Amino acid sequence: MAAVAAVGAAGIAARRAAAPRTRKYSSSPLSPEWTPRPAEYGVGVRRNVAVQMSDGVVLRADVHYPTVPETGQPAPGPFPVLLSLTPYGKLAPPPAAQIGGGPTPRLIRRGYIEAMVDVRGTGASGGSFEMFGPDQARDGAELVAWAAKLPNSNGRVGMFGISYLAINQLFTAASVGPDSPLKAIFPVMAANDFYRDVATMGGATHMPAVRGYGAVYSMLNVINPTLEFLARGGHERPRAGGLAAVRQRGKDQRNYFWPLIADVSAGGEAAYDGPVWDRMRSDPLLPAIAANNVAVFLVGGWHDAFQRGAPLNYAALQNSSVGRPASAPMEPGQPTVDRIRLLMGPWYHVSDFDGLQMQDLQLRWFDYWLKDDETAAISGSPFTFQAIGDRRWYHTGQYPIPEAEPTRLYLAHDGRLADDAPAEQTVAKLTYRSRGPVSGRSLEQWSLGLNSYVTASAGGRTRYDQDNSRLHRGALTYTTEPFGSPTLLAGPITLSVQATADTTETLWVAHLDDVAPEGASRPLTMGALLGSHRKLDPARTWYLPDGTVLRPHHISTRDAVQPVEPGQLTRYDIEIFPTAALITPGHRLRLTLTTYDFPHLVPNVPTRRALAGGLYQVHQGGPTPSFLVLPLADPDSLG
């Protein structure tokens, strides 16, 4: 990977001056082109099939299977089985059903059995709920063995689903061991590190997100037992104990989430990285998935709540598959394996994927790995992505993207992002504010894109998430000169701030926008850091050859917290979540630096007290400059 020094002023100036080029691009994310075979079967279902776990807890599954269209009887098969483990309820109403997954008649009609199981403590299943952890991982492995032996199964199992169902795939795939019936998974929008991806950003808590998540779970686990009881048919109706059973399930959920939320709010152990979050963390599991030879097709979104996680999952799985450290950056030219793939696009957590037929991608993946259909094989580089503002598909192999050169731009006194550090040091003052204008993109991202999804489903378009100009009031802004040729921003981004403060805590929030010639400031990505969480983990931080931080990994345990010393110059390396965006000629990049992201980031009570009244002085230029590291590429350099 090239050092920052090699692509400073000369590199970005060349991009501004170069003449535009034209090129023809493919509209398909995968090659070669592939057409799904016609549907052959009908769809039948057995509801609330009892599956007893090794500890005696009974889980409940809905099994959807192919039928002979003329008779409605089960087709003889044999067929692969697609397994989903959901906490949202097998009969959850929209939009929870969209997050929850199946059944998917498009796959069943083409020769797949689908088994959707309520995870323990949810829906119609017994047991007590907790997010992920060893019990659910063990359940997943046992359910794979059960699914492989279903009537008319061919003994091969795949898994698919979005969000929680995607993360559960990772836990299960790590637990099954080698030579398992589980051959392939298709996790859509899966976290890498729940603490860093969604519970906090740089140690600053996402209290509305955490509260909202708990409220949704509690609500669904009152609704779902009711739906199970009311569903027509001759199937079993577990938990048909009337309103008492429904109330008890809601109480069980509240007893799990509300103490967790209260502990975070009070600044307790759950406000820091540690055992509470270790049980939900999928990144330590990834080497085991590679060792188990499970094929993984990851899908992520540049606007997803787990925006940070999908590329890290990909890099760790590829690294583990070739014997490299899972947490390291991939090296340029590093060998890649075809059984690990990543597809990224400008999508929210709940998305229609801009018309991309995700079920056809799933069908192709499973046809190859579960049915040995060579016509479904995918060729080409395993990392495919679509950038914000661009409809073409880019293809590469490694992450970070080797074609994107890390480029250092300096915060300058006149509001510029400059190619060179100003010789004279100046100071810009930033006063702490706990709230201010709302970023529409942030609000939409952390409400999972539900408004955009509903609006798009009705034929409309969401617009309030397209301009961040309102954030500039009371903030520090730094802007590049206009770009002269198309430039691709793609990969991890770091803002290194040198500053003093007069409080023992600081909060830094950075937004990166694409500024159009007429002034609209389209949001691309953001990051944040609570100053006391600034300590870096050198084993997991990604560095360039000259020591520049490419992607910081902060140690956010209680023991690692370092209060800010008032008046002392302190360096803060802020992780801005990765993105991909095409910057067109005449457009500029703008960094907006502020101290809030309301209502997304809401510090807990002790942190708010430490932040109150803070005045920060940001160094610009001189011997201790603040700077931004951006990965920039020629769009034509990627296949």
Side-chain angles (χ1 to χ4, degrees):
M1 184 178 296
V4 171
V7 289
I12 197 167
R15 292 189 183 96
R16 292 181 186 137
R21 286 167 287 182
T22 59
R23 179 181 171 189
K24 187 176 181 180
Y25 300 97
S26 170
S27 60
S28 174
L30 304 179
S31 61
E33 296 286 343
W34 180 80
T35 302
R37 63 188 178 282
E40 301 178 51
Y41 305 100
V43 179
V45 61
R46 295 189 297 275
R47 296 197 182 278
N48 284 323
V49 176
V51 190
Q52 184 168 317
M53 299 292 97
S54 57
D55 62 355
V57 171
V58 175
L59 307 185
R60 296 283 175 168
D62 284 355
V63 179
H64 297 80
Y65 53 88
T67 63
V68 178
E70 293 77 14
T71 66
Q73 295 300 306
F79 305 112
V81 180
L82 300 181
L83 177 66
S84 295
L85 313 180
T86 179
Y88 304 116
K90 304 187 300 297
L91 300 177
Q98 198 277 344
I99 299 175
T104 49
R106 187 169 181 81
L107 274 66
I108 300 167
R109 295 181 191 278
R110 287 163 175 79
Y112 287 90
I113 300 168
E114 285 189 14
M116 174 163 275
V117 185
D118 289 323
V119 302
R120 60 172 60 212
T122 71
S125 289
S128 298
F129 174 78
E130 67 172 347
M131 290 185 67
F132 311 111
D135 287 345
Q136 281 192 32
R138 185 183 64 248
D139 288 349
E142 293 180 11
L143 286 165
V144 165
W146 163 80
K149 298 176 182 177
L150 283 171
N152 300 328
S153 165
N154 72 355
R156 293 185 177 184
V157 178
M159 296 185 73
F160 72 129
I162 185 173
S163 190
Y164 194 109
L165 289 76
I167 302 169
N168 232 336
Q169 293 174 57
L170 301 179
F171 274 81
T172 299
S175 301
V176 293
D179 303 318
S180 161
L182 183 63
K183 304 302 181 185
I185 62 176
F186 201 103
V188 179
M189 310 302 186
N192 171 268
D193 179 336
F194 215 83
Y195 179 82
R196 289 170 177 81
D197 289 351
V198 68
T200 71
M201 180 177 278
T205 53
H206 294 185
M207 290 309 300
V210 175
R211 288 193 183 101
Y213 204 58
V216 167
Y217 267 98
S218 299
M219 177 184 68
L220 287 176
N221 279 282
V222 170
I223 293 173
N224 292 330
T226 305
L227 293 175
E228 293 283 358
F229 178 70
L230 296 175
R232 295 180 179 181
H235 55 272
E236 288 191 61
R237 285 174 169 75
R239 295 193 171 272
L243 290 176
V246 172
R247 284 196 297 266
Q248 183 60 46
R249 181 49 58 91
K251 183 178 179 181
D252 291 345
Q253 295 293 310
R254 290 192 298 273
N255 287 343
Y256 176 79
F257 281 106
W258 288 176
L260 174 64
I261 292 168
D263 192 45
V264 173
S265 299
E269 288 302 317
Y272 301 90
D273 195 12
V276 171
W277 304 105
D278 287 344
R279 299 174 67 86
M280 308 179 197
R281 184 169 285 122
S282 55
D283 63 327
L285 310 174
L286 301 174
I289 297 174
N292 291 339
N293 289 315
V294 177
V296 184
F297 194 119
L298 297 155
V299 177
W302 301 123
H303 305 325
D304 180 33
F306 301 141
Q307 166 190 356
R308 173 185 179 275
L312 294 179
N313 286 337
Y314 171 78
L317 286 166
Q318 286 285 1
N319 279 335
S320 299
S321 298
V322 296
R324 298 193 70 247
S327 61
M330 295 180 70
E331 294 181 340
Q334 174 181 322
T336 58
V337 296
D338 290 338
R339 71 174 183 274
I340 308 297
R341 303 194 76 91
L342 171 62
L343 180 71
M344 294 283 292
W347 309 314
Y348 287 113
H349 196 69
V350 179
S351 174
D352 65 357
F353 303 102
D354 294 327
L356 183 66
Q357 294 297 319
M358 193 60 64
Q359 290 183 9
D360 285 353
L361 299 184
Q362 293 170 336
L363 183 64
R364 182 173 187 173
W365 187 246
F366 292 131
D367 275 4
Y368 180 76
W369 290 102
L370 303 183
K371 291 188 173 183
D372 296 327
D373 182 356
E374 291 295 331
T375 68
I378 302 169
S379 62
S381 299
F383 179 10
T384 300
F385 66 92
Q386 197 174 67
I388 299 168
D390 195 2
R391 298 293 295 178
R392 79 193 79 176
W393 292 101
Y394 295 97
H395 306 277
T396 188
Q398 294 78 31
Y399 183 80
I401 298 166
E403 295 86 353
E405 297 178 286
T407 304
R408 185 184 292 195
L409 299 176
Y410 294 88
L411 280 59
H413 71 281
D414 51 0
R416 289 183 301 118
L417 281 174
D419 298 335
D420 300 303
E424 181 181 354
Q425 185 173 88
T426 57
V427 170
K429 294 182 179 181
L430 183 63
T431 301
Y432 173 75
R433 292 195 297 165
S434 62
R435 62 183 62 193
V438 174
S439 167
R441 170 59 53 77
S442 174
L443 180 63
E444 187 68 10
Q445 178 169 2
W446 296 105
S447 58
L448 306 185
L450 290 174
N451 182 60
S452 293
Y453 177 74
V454 172
T455 302
S457 299
R461 181 185 175 191
T462 304
R463 299 185 183 277
Y464 75 93
D465 62 344
Q466 297 300 310
D467 193 348
N468 258 355
S469 298
R470 64 178 68 88
L471 298 184
H472 301 160
R473 298 194 299 271
L476 300 178
T477 60
Y478 302 89
T479 310
T480 67
E481 295 296 325
F483 284 75
S485 65
T487 300
L488 186 66
L489 168 70
I493 302 165
T494 298
L495 172 63
S496 293
V497 173
Q498 298 269 11
T500 61
D502 60 1
T503 48
T504 59
E505 185 61 281
T506 57
L507 178 56
W508 305 92
V509 180
H511 295 265
L512 189 65
D513 301 340
D514 173 4
V515 183
E518 67 274 13
S521 193
R522 180 177 62 181
L524 301 178
T525 186
M526 65 168 293
L529 177 64
L530 200 60
S532 60
H533 289 242
R534 65 190 179 276
K535 185 177 180 180
L536 296 176
D537 182 347
R540 305 197 67 180
T541 294
W542 294 358
Y543 296 94
L544 294 169
D546 65 356
T548 299
V549 174
L550 178 65
R551 188 190 69 83
H553 186 98
H554 301 99
I555 306 175
S556 288
T557 60
R558 184 186 284 274
D559 291 343
V561 164
Q562 299 174 321
V564 175
E565 186 172 333
Q568 179 174 309
L569 182 64
T570 304
R571 174 170 169 157
Y572 305 92
D573 294 301
I574 302 164
E575 180 183 17
I576 297 179
F577 283 9
T579 193
L582 182 67
I583 313 303
T584 55
H587 284 234
R588 298 171 292 162
L589 285 173
R590 175 171 293 154
L591 172 71
T592 300
L593 187 59
T594 184
T595 63
Y596 64 88
D597 184 37
F598 181 79
H600 160 218
L601 294 177
V602 179
N604 57 39
V605 174
T607 302
R608 288 202 298 270
R609 291 171 181 160
L611 287 167
L615 176 64
Y616 312 156
Q617 299 191 53
V618 178
H619 282 211
Q620 303 166 144
T624 53
S626 300
F627 57 88
L628 184 66
V629 178
L630 298 173
L632 300 178
D634 178 349
D636 290 338
S637 66
L638 286 91

